[in-house]
Amino acid sequence: MSGSAKPGRRKAAGAALRYEHVRQRPSAWAQAREKASRRESWGGCLVFLAVAAAIIGFALTIMTLGTELWGSAAPAWPGRGYGFAAVVGAAGPLGLAAVIATLGRTRWKTNPLRSLGWVLASLPGVATSFVWVVVVFAGFRPKHRRDWDSGCYSRGKPCWVHVEYPWVWAVGLLSTVLATAVLFTVLFRIDKARRSTAAG
């Protein structure tokens, strides 16, 4: 017999192994970090909006309240604009000192109710400081002379203030410096008296 060997069967190909990429579930730490980053982004947006609103509100207050104070209150004040500038200049450091003195006594962890009372006590100082800033900024003329238009010379506006009271900036600055010096002197004497009492 001639070779009747059956032709060799072709070996079956091995089953192809398919690996599918399985996305792993993020860990609890990764999820918490992602949530925290989202909260931070939202918090950053809220802070930005709050700051923008504060700046816009402050600018509007300067244009309205500042103009009203310089145009109406200053001319009727004893000493007119110069007397007004002297009082406002002294009120700035006094208001700031009142805010520091009251808020420095807050102890939220140990006595929150009393701390809330000190916060309420600081409000007059906060209001005084705010009015001081508004009056000072309302008296600043635009940086460039080309912006000193007719609106700038309207009653109560910056150019009008400097035409009516040319030395108002010097009076206000001198009053602020003197009030600060008196305040530091008083605080120094109070501190010295306390030390002498404690030593005796």
Side-chain angles (χ1 to χ4, degrees), residues 77 80-92 168 171-176 179:
W77 204 271
R80 295 175 61 83
Y82 293 116
F84 180 73
V87 172
V88 172
V168 67
V171 174
L173 180 60
L174 180 62
S175 177
T176 301

Side-chain angles (χ1 to χ4, degrees), residues 92-161:
L94 295 177
L96 183 60
V99 172
I100 295 174
T102 50
L103 294 183
R105 295 175 177 266
T106 56
R107 301 292 185 273
W108 291 103
K109 292 184 178 180
T110 57
N111 199 335
L113 187 60
R114 190 174 181 180
S115 298
L116 180 60
W118 283 117
V119 170
L120 295 177
S122 70
L123 293 181
V126 173
T128 302
S129 301
F130 180 75
V131 172
W132 180 83
V133 174
V134 167
V135 171
V136 169
F137 275 85
F140 281 155
R141 284 184 295 188
K143 184 177 180 180
H144 303 290
R145 286 183 176 270
R146 63 174 178 269
D147 297 325
W148 298 3
D149 53 8
S150 58
C152 185
Y153 286 94
S154 300
R155 185 178 181 85
K157 294 299 181 69
C159 295
W160 176 89
V161 172

Side-chain angles (χ1 to χ4, degrees), residues 4 15 25 29 32 35 37 42 71-72 92 108 133 137 151 169-170 175 179 186:
S4 60
R25 185 178 180 180
W29 170 251
K35 289 181 180 179
S37 64
W42 279 108
S72 299
W108 291 103
V133 174
F137 275 85
W169 62 271
S175 177
V186 171

